[in-house]
Amino acid sequence: MVSSSSALPVVPPWGQRVKEKRQVCRDAIPEAWRLPQDFWEQVQTPLQTSRNNFIALAAVQKSGILSDREVNITEHKTVAALLGELASGQITATEAITAFSKRAAIAQQLTNCLTETYFPEAKNRAVELDNMREAGQLAGPLHGLPISLKDSFQIIGSEATIGMVAFLGQKSTTNSALVDLLINLGAVLYCKSNVPQTMMTADSDNNIFGRTLNPWNTSLCAGGSSGGEGALISMRGAPIGVGTDIAASCCGTYGFKPTACRIPYGNQRGCSNPGFRPIPACAGPLANDIESLGIFMKAVVSARPRQYDSTAIDVPWRKTSFSKAKLRFGVVAEDPRFPLHPPVKAALDSAARLIEAQGHEIIHLSPNECRIDHAAQVAWSLFSLDDTSSRLVAHAGEPPIPSRLLLQQVVRKIGMEFVADANSLSELQRLAALTVKKAEVVDSWNKLWNVHQLDAVISPSAQNSAVKHDEFNFPPYTMFLNLLDYPACVIPFGKDAGTSPEFKIEDGQIVPNYNPKDLEGSPLSIQVFTSSMRDEECLDIAKVVDDCLGGGNRDEPHF
């Protein structure tokens, strides 16, 4: 495993427990699946300060651990193809789970992306599914499909620590709602993925499991809070996985954040006050192609998730069709307070031109219309009302990870003019005042859709691509969509060429430093979003955009 950048105390009271947990994780990888010494001779170490590109290196193929057939199953099969061949028996569930378990084990050794693994249990489940298929039955629409999950999902008999010492040693006694639903659909669950301490930063690092590395460049972060999931999917250690935000922007994968509560979120491990949900969290899929996202969403929503989770929205998945070939896209403006790194801005501009070249309309929105700054102020102020996670960290005696400390420093620099009156009030009055401010931002966006008659909006996924470890500070271009509760689809689009012009940060601006040489080759992306409960339209329009951009070629263009 990769060591965390957070240096542990010499003799912390929890140190032995962490050491034992890490050993259990190491022992869970079968000896035959461990990378040989001659492979490591091709790798630069230490991993987290070296520029290893495990995608370009074809690390999985060179490891010699997977057979040619297993490489083909994991490398070249989409979810649609896998489901078809699993249903017909061309691929058995046992073959599929063995291949992806091996690949996940390799991804873990290279990027430290996993927490819990269930390889033997998953193989037993696969054997049961194969017996069922041989008897002429399928378990459900996801029969035999391997699916990975973020660590926050609970599975009976294992831990869901979410990288927090406070939860170390606590075994789950019930499954998360989505776990039960996926099992009933025929899926095979075989691993969980790493997260940041408290799940409130974009650097997936914690004192239990350590830091997840970006497989495109191990000196860069994998994103968060679903960074482990992003790294795993990027290395094709899973055909599809479930996160709870959009880590896809750092690791070059597709990701979908649905409207809250369309995917059941019940009984997940959290570290916030369970009675305080001013901005509902949501779960969604990550994959290496856009079609897989829709397959997952349709299967889960069509399974009546309300039967598993009382907080889920009981609305069936709709079949949509466009009555017009020409769509109207808004383009989110660069916010003066949160400027974009040059390659990110170039990728967004290029995407808009390519969409327009296919006959669609492009409407460039203004910063005042988009209100990214106002939304960020409201969102952060609401999150800051709950200090449960910080108290859990402090009570366990573990140190905060560096990216949390950086985020706290950055937030102090953000002017809070829009919410200044609310933040001077008592807690209950502050919540009420911030709720009014939130409603103002939501209402202004509702009017924006009508004024411009928009079908969808494109925007940057973040101000930056993946950056050096512990330097990803504040996520305004995703946070505002959480505040609005809009569905959004991340689409990979090109790479950082490492040749951008000088980037100067002005006084009052919040953005990570940009060093082109450090970030060369880092995946870029855009996101497409629609208004709440238009998840079906969001995915369908995202497919249109993906086609305009070349179908998700993750290597070209370079900006």
Side-chain angles (χ1 to χ4, degrees):
M1 284 189 180
V2 180
S3 299
S4 170
S5 64
S6 304
L8 301 180
V10 177
V11 187
W14 42 268
Q16 183 60 34
R17 293 162 59 211
V18 165
K19 181 179 178 180
E20 292 170 357
K21 178 66 177 178
R22 292 190 179 193
Q23 188 61 49
V24 167
C25 293
R26 283 191 287 268
D27 291 346
I29 297 178
E31 187 68 36
W33 298 359
R34 297 182 187 179
L35 292 166
Q37 183 57 42
D38 60 352
F39 174 87
W40 287 109
E41 292 172 1
Q42 307 172 63
V43 174
Q44 299 178 56
T45 55
L47 292 179
Q48 69 181 39
T49 56
S50 303
R51 295 170 56 87
N52 294 288
N53 183 337
F54 291 130
I55 309 298
L57 180 63
V60 173
Q61 294 88 325
K62 290 183 178 180
S63 72
I65 293 171
L66 274 69
S67 68
D68 290 345
R69 179 171 172 80
E70 289 169 335
V71 169
N72 182 54
I73 289 171
T74 56
E75 186 79 17
H76 303 297
K77 304 291 184 182
T78 63
V79 167
L82 277 171
L83 288 173
E85 295 187 26
L86 284 163
S88 68
Q90 292 172 268
I91 298 174
T92 66
T94 303
E95 283 183 302
I97 197 59
T98 300
F100 279 103
S101 294
K102 285 183 176 181
R103 192 149 185 156
I106 295 169
Q108 162 65 0
Q109 293 170 77
L110 295 176
T111 68
N112 199 40
C113 56
L114 301 183
T115 55
E116 310 296 320
T117 56
Y118 313 96
F119 299 145
E121 298 89 342
K123 188 172 182 179
N124 291 338
R125 159 80 166 160
V127 170
E128 293 174 359
L129 292 172
D130 286 334
N131 292 336
M132 181 181 292
R133 193 204 61 77
E134 289 176 6
Q137 294 181 312
L138 295 179
L142 302 182
H143 179 97
L145 182 68
I147 295 181
S148 56
L149 299 170
K150 183 175 181 174
D151 191 63
S152 55
F153 289 93
Q154 300 204 69
I155 295 178
I156 292 173
S158 66
E159 296 179 26
T161 64
I162 57 174
M164 296 182 66
V165 171
F167 299 132
L168 189 59
Q170 297 183 16
K171 303 281 187 179
S172 297
T173 56
T174 57
N175 289 334
S176 294
L178 183 61
V179 168
D180 284 333
L181 188 154
L182 290 174
I183 290 172
N184 288 340
L185 290 177
V188 183
L189 309 179
Y190 62 112
C191 59
K192 294 202 297 180
S193 54
N194 202 21
V195 299
Q197 180 192 63
T198 75
M199 299 194 295
M200 280 296 288
T201 83
D203 203 320
S204 292
D205 176 29
N206 59 74
N207 294 313
I208 297 178
F209 302 104
R211 185 191 302 282
T212 296
L213 309 179
N214 193 312
W216 292 94
N217 180 342
T218 54
S219 71
L220 304 181
C221 73
S225 61
S226 301
E229 202 63 42
L232 177 67
I233 298 295
S234 187
M235 290 204 69
R236 298 185 182 271
I240 193 164
V242 187
T244 59
D245 51 31
I246 305 177
S249 62
C250 285
C251 292
T253 69
Y254 292 84
F256 184 62
K257 183 197 83 67
T259 304
C261 300
R262 291 213 76 182
I263 298 296
Y265 200 84
N267 199 31
Q268 281 203 60
R269 170 75 79 185
C271 57
S272 60
N273 187 326
F276 183 72
R277 294 185 65 197
I279 302 177
C282 59
L286 288 82
N288 283 303
D289 68 286
I290 200 165
E291 183 183 12
S292 297
L293 306 178
I295 290 172
F296 177 92
M297 289 298 300
K298 180 180 179 181
V300 172
V301 174
S302 297
R304 300 292 301 274
R306 185 62 174 264
Q307 296 178 355
Y308 297 82
D309 181 0
S310 63
T311 68
I313 297 173
D314 195 15
V315 174
W317 190 255
R318 295 178 288 108
K319 181 176 176 59
T320 62
S321 60
F322 298 115
S323 59
K324 56 182 181 179
K326 187 176 184 178
L327 299 171
R328 286 175 62 85
F329 289 92
V331 179
V332 165
E334 179 180 34
D335 190 276
R337 177 165 278 167
F338 302 107
L340 307 178
H341 279 183
V344 173
K345 187 173 183 178
L348 182 64
D349 292 343
S350 178
R353 289 194 298 271
L354 289 170
I355 293 168
E356 191 170 36
Q358 293 298 314
H360 304 291
E361 289 186 78
I362 292 292
I363 295 90
H364 290 277
L365 307 175
S366 71
N368 287 340
E369 288 179 301
C370 297
R371 304 187 70 165
I372 302 297
D373 185 11
H374 288 174
Q377 291 182 44
V378 175
W380 187 259
S381 296
L382 285 169
F383 286 134
S384 299
L385 289 173
D386 181 16
D387 66 349
T388 304
S389 60
S390 294
R391 287 190 288 106
L392 283 168
V393 171
H395 185 263
E398 62 170 318
I401 58 172
S403 60
R404 284 187 62 216
L405 297 176
L406 173 67
L407 186 58
Q408 292 167 11
Q409 295 171 6
V410 168
V411 169
R412 295 190 193 104
K413 299 178 182 178
I414 297 176
M416 292 288 179
E417 307 88 351
F418 182 63
V419 295
D421 292 342
N423 285 337
S424 65
L425 302 172
S426 63
E427 276 194 4
L428 182 59
Q429 292 175 320
R430 192 186 320 163
L431 174 60
L434 289 172
T435 302
V436 171
K437 292 291 188 181
K438 174 184 173 181
E440 180 181 328
V441 175
V442 173
D443 184 60
S444 67
W445 263 94
N446 193 58
K447 291 175 180 175
L448 184 152
W449 290 102
N450 296 325
V451 167
H452 294 292
Q453 292 295 293
L454 301 176
D455 294 299
V457 178
I458 63 171
S459 79
S461 305
Q463 295 171 269
N464 45 274
S465 60
V467 292
K468 302 289 282 186
H469 299 300
D470 302 322
E471 292 184 10
F472 197 129
N473 50 48
F474 197 76
Y477 292 91
T478 52
M479 188 177 284
F480 90 104
L481 293 174
N482 292 117
L483 187 79
L484 295 170
D485 192 20
Y486 283 177
C489 183
V490 168
I491 298 174
F493 183 48
K495 297 287 190 302
D496 187 332
T499 57
S500 292
E502 181 181 353
F503 178 64
K504 183 179 180 181
I505 302 174
E506 305 291 344
D507 289 344
Q509 291 186 324
I510 307 297
V511 61
N513 290 323
Y514 179 67
N515 186 328
K517 292 182 179 179
D518 288 342
L519 308 186
E520 181 180 357
S522 184
L524 299 169
S525 63
I526 66 162
Q527 60 183 342
V528 179
F529 63 88
T530 55
S531 57
S532 293
M533 292 302 297
R534 294 292 178 180
D535 304 70
E536 296 87 344
E537 287 84 355
C538 185
L539 277 173
D540 283 350
I541 294 173
K543 291 176 185 176
V544 173
V545 172
D546 191 45
D547 287 341
C548 291
L549 304 186
N553 186 324
R554 293 192 290 171
D555 295 319
E556 299 291 345
H558 286 74
F559 298 99

